[in-house]
Structure formats: structure tokens, C-alpha cells
Amino acid sequence: MKALVKSKAATGISLEEVPAPQLGHNDVLIKIKKTALCGTDLHIYNWDEWAAKHISLPLIIGHEFVGEIVDIGQEVKSYFKIGDRVSGEGHIACGHCRNCRAGRSHLCRFNISVGVTRNGCFAEYLVIPAINAYRIPDTLPDREAAILDPLGNATHAALTFNLVGEDVLITGAGPVGLLSALIAKHVGARYVVITDPDEYRLNLAKKLGVTLAVNPLKTSLKEVMAALNMKEGFDVSLEMSGNPRAFQDMVKHTNHAGKIALLGFLPDRTDIDWSEVIMKGLTIKGIYGREMFDTWYKMITMLQSGLNISPVITHEFKAQEYKAAFELLASGQSGKIVLDWA
């Protein structure tokens, strides 16, 4: 089969002919229809310090996908059948550790990651455990089903705290930040403010209907609050940028008893004013991946009840055009980018 392979410890990947994956007793074999690019894929493509530390070569990359089941392992129960259209959870948990048994398998200490620590979905076929596959409603288009993984990150972060009637701050207008803004609006937040220094991303956020899309280098959060006649600060804040200054500004402008969901990876030893955290009684919760599989149920239900994520997908390429797709991703001038494997 054809696959996008990271085979050298240098910038770039290559489209190669590789053996098709072997089906295990508890697995499903999926013929890939569409995949989507993620920041993790770009780290691997660029072979940066993180990639060199965590990736073993060679590796088929990619973890965001939709496809069709074409074969089923002999131990798989009757829930799935050949022809089912599925996406899938990219974190493969052990199923036996304390967190797995307590219903927290997204925090399994022994997680294996599709496209990171085992071969991924940027290929004509993918094998994953059947328990990781998720059947997709017929009403959900392939291009949207291909981004359920990042939508799951956004759903996990946004729905960690009650947003109904609340004022929400989101730092970082990348795809997950934009998806989080759509979710906040969908579930009934009052104001949804998103910040980012990139004008392309801010314009995309405006098209999605956020209350305000703000360049923090030009407009302060104090000015934003004054414009919205806010007196006390944001009730819920979602950190999606990984930018220390954005996080510090967020802590400063989150209301007393406010809540912060922390998804962005901040640099080591990022400074924080702990006195504000203590005196305000802030709650800060780290967000990792998707809660398996409650997050999947919630995001599918929201999509069925009117959540429209299509505008976040700004570009689509044929799989053979992967170089152009990665160049565009690196430029920052895009939302989600989809690769078509048909």
C-alpha cells in the first residue's frame, strides 16, 4: 500500500510503497478515505527536538482519519461489520492499569499513540483495535469526520467546566481553539473572546461568529472587558496557545472562583503568579486527549444537534500533494487541512 513515511532523521517525509498492516484477532482493518494534518505531524515532518526525542524510525505518521472497515478480526464481537464508516481514538490504552479500570483510560500510563509510537493513518489502510474504532453517522460528511480527533480535544477542554451563561476566554486561535469557540457558543456561553497575534486566524474566528477576536499585541484584555461592560473577569478560560504571556494574562483576567482548562503545552518553568491563583480560588485543570469514550458521544451528539465545524476546514489536498499541504500548515495560513486518499 501507499503511505506517508518518516524514514530519515531530517526534515520531510516521503510517499512510499510499504506492506499493508496485519490484522490481529481483536482488530479492524480500515480503508482510509480522508485524513487531516495536526501540529504533531508537523513536529515529526520538521524533525524538531521533540520529534527526535520521541519518534522511532521508520514510522507511518498521522492520527486523524475517517475510513471504511474492510476486514474484522476473529475475536471482534458483532458490533462492527464490514462496510461500517468509522473514525477512531488514537490513544490505545492497556486496559489493565488503575486509570483504565477507573474509567480514565485517556490517562493510561502505557498509552500507545497512533502515528506517534505505532504506525499511523496517512496510508491506504490502517489497523487499530476494534475498541478504538467509532462508527460515524451517515449524516456526517467525510471531511468533518476526519477531524473528530481535534474536535475531541476541543470538546474535552470546553466541556470540562459548565459554560452556560458564562463569559469565556480562549487563548490561541488555532484549529482546536476555533473548535472550542464553536462549542462554547453552541452550549450557551454569553461572550466568547478569542486571542491570537495571527490576523489570518483572527479573521477565521470572526467568520465563526465569536464575540470578539483580539490581537493581544494591539488590544489588552482590560480593554476587551471594558468594551463588553464586564466588571469581574472571565468565568471560564481555555488555554490553547502554549504561549507563556497568554497564560499569564489569562490568570490575571480570570474571575475569582474562575476555572482554567489547560490544553496548550507551555514551556518548562513557565512563570505564574501563584498568589493570584490562591487568592482568587482559581481551578486549573490539565487536559489531555479525549475522555474515552464519553467525549466521542458528546461531540457526535453536538454535531447532530447543529454544531457546524465545516468552516474550520479551510483546505483539502490529494494525498499525493502532501508537500504543499505541509508547507501550508507550516505557514500558519490555514485552518484544518484534509488529505484525500480516494
Side-chain angles (χ1 to χ4, degrees), residues 234-290:
F234 292 90
D235 304 300
V236 178
S237 298
L238 311 177
E239 208 308 290
M240 306 291 182
S241 70
N243 183 288
R245 287 183 60 187
F247 177 54
Q248 291 155 1
D249 213 21
M250 170 178 282
V251 170
K252 183 177 180 180
H253 291 91
T254 298
N255 195 10
H256 288 243
K259 300 169 178 64
I260 296 175
L262 189 60
L263 181 72
F265 277 91
L266 293 162
D268 291 347
R269 299 179 179 84
T270 294
D271 290 334
I272 181 172
D273 187 345
W274 287 109
S275 63
E276 279 210 81
V277 175
I278 295 166
M279 297 298 291
K280 286 184 176 180
L282 300 182
T283 298
I284 302 178
K285 181 178 179 181
I287 305 295
Y288 180 69
R290 297 144 300 280

Side-chain angles (χ1 to χ4, degrees), residues 8-71:
K8 298 179 180 179
T11 301
I13 55 176
S14 55
L15 185 63
E16 301 180 13
E17 195 76 26
V18 300
Q22 297 297 306
L23 182 71
H25 294 326
N26 293 298
D27 297 337
V28 291
L29 175 65
I30 301 166
K31 181 174 176 56
I32 297 297
K33 292 185 173 184
K34 293 183 188 293
T35 59
L37 303 189
C38 170
T40 299
D41 303 320
L42 186 60
H43 284 295
I44 299 172
Y45 186 94
N46 289 334
W47 199 246
D48 61 14
E49 182 179 352
W50 176 89
K53 182 178 179 180
H54 291 92
I55 304 301
S56 296
L57 303 179
L59 177 75
I60 299 171
I61 70 171
H63 54 275
E64 302 178 13
F65 70 93
V66 64
E68 180 180 308
I69 292 178
V70 293
D71 202 0

Side-chain angles (χ1 to χ4, degrees), residues 141-214:
D142 282 343
R143 69 198 306 266
E144 295 176 29
I147 68 166
L148 289 178
D149 177 292
L151 177 62
N153 290 337
T155 299
H156 185 187
L159 299 188
T160 288
F161 303 114
N162 184 9
L163 301 184
V164 178
E166 303 286 48
D167 297 331
V168 178
L169 171 65
I170 301 169
T171 48
V176 178
L178 295 173
L179 291 167
S180 299
L182 287 173
I183 293 166
K185 282 165 45 65
H186 183 74
V187 302
R190 181 174 70 158
Y191 297 143
V192 179
V193 174
I194 192 165
T195 67
D196 199 289
D198 187 279
E199 294 298 331
Y200 177 93
R201 290 179 168 181
L202 291 178
N203 287 330
L204 187 54
K206 291 173 185 176
K207 293 177 183 177
L208 299 181
V210 300
T211 309
L212 286 175
V214 178

Side-chain angles (χ1 to χ4, degrees), residues 128-139:
I128 57 172
I131 195 172
N132 281 66
Y134 198 96
R135 187 184 289 116
I136 302 303
D138 293 339
T139 53

Side-chain angles (χ1 to χ4, degrees), residues 220-239:
S220 70
L221 287 178
K222 183 178 180 180
E223 292 171 308
V224 168
M225 289 176 57
L228 297 176
N229 198 30
M230 290 173 55
K231 306 298 184 185
E232 298 181 337
F234 292 90
D235 304 300
V236 178
S237 298
L238 311 177
E239 208 308 290

